[in-house]
Amino acid sequence: MNPQMKVFFDALSDGVAIVDKEGIVQYMNAPGIAVFSAKIGEAFPDPRIVKGVRDLAAGFGKPPMRVPLPTQLGSPAGFIAQLMPLPIANQYAIVTQIQTEKQFYEMTLKNFYEFIRIDLTRPIHQFSQQLDFFANEETSPEMQGLVTNGKAISERLQRIEMLAELFGTSPLVDQERLLFETMINEALNAENKHLVARGLEVYLEGLDAELPPVYGSSIWLTRALRELINNAASHAVPKSRLEIALRCTGTHVILSLRNHGQFTSKHLMQKKMFVPFNQVEDYIQDKKLSTPKAPGTPKKGPGLGLPICQQILHLHGGRMTVTEGEGEEIVEFNLELATGAPVQDTQVLDAQQAQRYAHDMVALMQRMHSARAAQAVQAAEKK
């Protein structure tokens, strides 16, 4: 080997081995000796590497070719071997790339989500339906207690299943033409029991305005609204109120939700609110405490509602932000969605859908024109 190349490879922290087109080892640097367990002058011990080198030599495959290496037992970190030809005839480099713990756990989480989606989704929904059946029947107190506990388990399982579908796969997002008024009313009706239990009044502003439609999945977007309302209600001061305001800003509809929260804004902002299970540490600590809580104190959750809401909005091209309101105990959630056109390409439109879409686009252009005109007037007035 060229002495300068040897000096270069010896200086690398990654394991490097040089083999010929038959997979016979010609050289290894110090990290390579530790990782590969190979011997110079002998065939590379991993048959997948040898096959990969021979495939590259025969013109099959595209360099760099990636081959996972066996992970040491009990270690969350592994190695990926990258095979590539060298600018020397019939010489090939095998370079290790460390698979970090972060990558390992990301893969583990992805596999966990896939397991839930494939093996547990159907049983979770069947379990929920069976509980609903028994809840409507006259049963013994023991059975009623079993149903109550089952519903608590079922609710948590459904949210985990929802999390798996949102974060572990690319769920099908429909391109329905949706009105905010309908979705908000459905979400409020679904969360009514929770709102009543905490004695909350709901104030709506802008719902009667002529808001433009949005496009997406009514099931998912209504779920996002439910998670947002549920979260705000859970952290609101009992017998206070939730304020929901809707407004249009040219190309977007913005829903603002305010509550009088039992936590400070500073504490909320320090949390990674949109990361699933962001409250687990506090949730576990809260469960361990044996001291009785003050009446109306909200039950802490593991931190799933806001991440689910944020991910649904992300899939629809929207976003959610949280800002401090007027006063230390007021927190404002802002949900923003684009109007006037589907987020994704729609391949098939019937005549009525096409007409509605064209009408929405015209209305969108008019709102954009009006917004620019208003900005121009304001700029002129300032001068």
Side-chain angles (χ1 to χ4, degrees), residues 159 162 166 178 180 183-184 186-188 190-191 214 217-233 244 255 257 274 304-316 318-320 333-337:
R159 298 186 85 194
M162 191 184 310
L166 288 170
L178 308 171
F180 254 96
M183 292 189 294
I184 288 177
E186 289 181 359
L188 287 172
E191 296 298 325
V214 295
S217 165
S218 61
I219 294 175
W220 280 120
L221 285 176
T222 302
R223 168 53 66 175
L225 292 172
R226 283 191 61 181
E227 294 293 344
L228 182 59
I229 292 169
N230 182 280
N231 183 277
I244 301 175
L255 180 146
L257 190 153
F274 302 140
L304 292 178
L306 292 182
I308 287 173
C309 181
Q310 167 68 7
Q311 184 67 3
I312 292 172
L313 293 177
H314 172 71
L315 292 169
H316 285 79
R319 63 172 184 160
M320 184 169 69
F333 300 83
N334 297 297
L335 182 154
E336 184 176 317
L337 279 172

Side-chain angles (χ1 to χ4, degrees), residues 39 87 100 114-115 172 206 232 241 264 269 275 311 334 358 369 380:
K39 295 182 179 180
T100 63
E114 191 69 6
F115 164 72
L172 179 63
R241 65 183 187 179
T264 63
M269 299 305 172
V275 177
Q311 184 67 3
N334 297 297
H369 178 73

Side-chain angles (χ1 to χ4, degrees), residues 1-11 27-29:
M1 175 185 289
N2 185 304
Q4 291 182 339
M5 288 186 64
K6 186 177 184 304
V7 170
F8 171 76
F9 287 132
D10 285 341
Y27 159 83
M28 288 185 296
N29 64 0

Side-chain angles (χ1 to χ4, degrees), residues 94-379:
I94 305 168
V95 183
T96 59
Q97 179 183 12
I98 297 177
Q99 184 183 20
T100 63
E101 290 191 23
K102 178 176 180 292
Q103 291 171 316
F104 173 84
Y105 288 117
E106 284 177 349
M107 180 61 69
T108 301
L109 191 59
K110 182 179 179 181
N111 292 338
F112 174 66
Y113 285 151
E114 191 69 6
F115 164 72
I116 292 175
R117 189 180 68 83
I118 293 174
D119 275 13
L120 297 182
T121 295
R122 187 172 180 179
I124 286 172
H125 287 280
Q126 288 177 337
F127 182 47
S128 175
Q129 293 169 358
Q130 291 165 351
L131 288 171
D132 290 338
F133 172 78
F134 286 110
N136 296 325
E137 297 290 318
E138 292 187 8
T139 57
S140 64
E142 292 79 7
M143 189 64 181
Q144 291 175 3
L146 183 63
V147 170
T148 300
N149 291 332
K151 281 186 170 292
I153 295 171
S154 175
E155 180 186 349
R156 286 161 175 76
L157 287 174
Q158 287 184 67
R159 298 186 85 194
I160 292 174
E161 183 268 329
M162 191 184 310
L163 194 76
E165 185 169 358
L166 288 170
F167 286 86
T169 65
S170 297
L172 179 63
V173 176
D174 296 329
Q175 296 299 344
E176 305 170 60
R177 184 178 185 271
L178 308 171
L179 298 177
F180 254 96
E181 180 180 2
T182 303
M183 292 189 294
I184 288 177
N185 286 329
E186 289 181 359
L188 287 172
N189 288 336
E191 296 298 325
N192 183 62
K193 185 177 180 180
H194 186 44
L195 294 168
V196 171
R198 296 194 61 76
L200 300 174
E201 293 185 71
V202 178
Y203 289 78
L204 293 173
E205 179 184 341
L207 196 61
D208 55 348
E210 190 175 344
L211 294 169
V214 295
Y215 283 82
S217 165
S218 61
I219 294 175
W220 280 120
L221 285 176
T222 302
R223 168 53 66 175
L225 292 172
R226 283 191 61 181
E227 294 293 344
L228 182 59
I229 292 169
N230 182 280
N231 183 277
S234 296
H235 292 90
V237 175
K239 297 182 180 179
S240 61
R241 65 183 187 179
L242 301 183
E243 302 167 12
I244 301 175
L246 284 157
R247 66 185 187 276
C248 181
T249 60
T251 59
H252 292 80
V253 171
I254 298 176
L255 180 146
S256 297
L257 190 153
R258 287 175 142 204
N259 73 336
H260 296 259
Q262 291 189 322
F263 43 77
T264 63
S265 302
K266 184 177 180 181
H267 174 72
L268 180 69
M269 299 305 172
Q270 289 174 344
K271 295 291 182 180
K272 296 180 179 179
M273 293 173 293
F274 302 140
V275 177
F277 299 105
N278 61 78
Q279 298 280 355
V280 164
E281 185 178 353
D282 293 341
Y283 178 70
I284 294 173
Q285 188 67 26
D286 189 58
K287 289 288 185 181
K288 290 180 179 179
L289 293 177
S290 57
T291 55
K293 297 181 182 180
T297 302
K299 293 182 180 179
K300 292 183 179 179
L304 292 178
L306 292 182
I308 287 173
C309 181
Q310 167 68 7
Q311 184 67 3
I312 292 172
L313 293 177
H314 172 71
L315 292 169
H316 285 79
R319 63 172 184 160
M320 184 169 69
T321 58
V322 183
T323 58
E324 296 183 18
E326 298 172 0
E328 293 184 357
E329 298 295 330
I330 296 178
V331 175
E332 183 175 277
F333 300 83
N334 297 297
L335 182 154
E336 184 176 317
L337 279 172
T339 67
V343 175
Q344 301 170 356
D345 292 335
T346 303
Q347 301 296 329
V348 180
L349 288 174
D350 61 25
Q352 290 184 342
Q353 286 177 318
Q355 289 177 356
R356 288 195 296 265
Y357 174 60
H359 176 271
D360 295 340
M361 287 302 296
V362 171
L364 174 62
M365 297 302 293
Q366 290 175 342
R367 290 195 302 272
M368 292 175 64
H369 178 73
S370 299
R372 291 194 189 100
Q375 290 174 355
V377 170
Q378 291 176 355

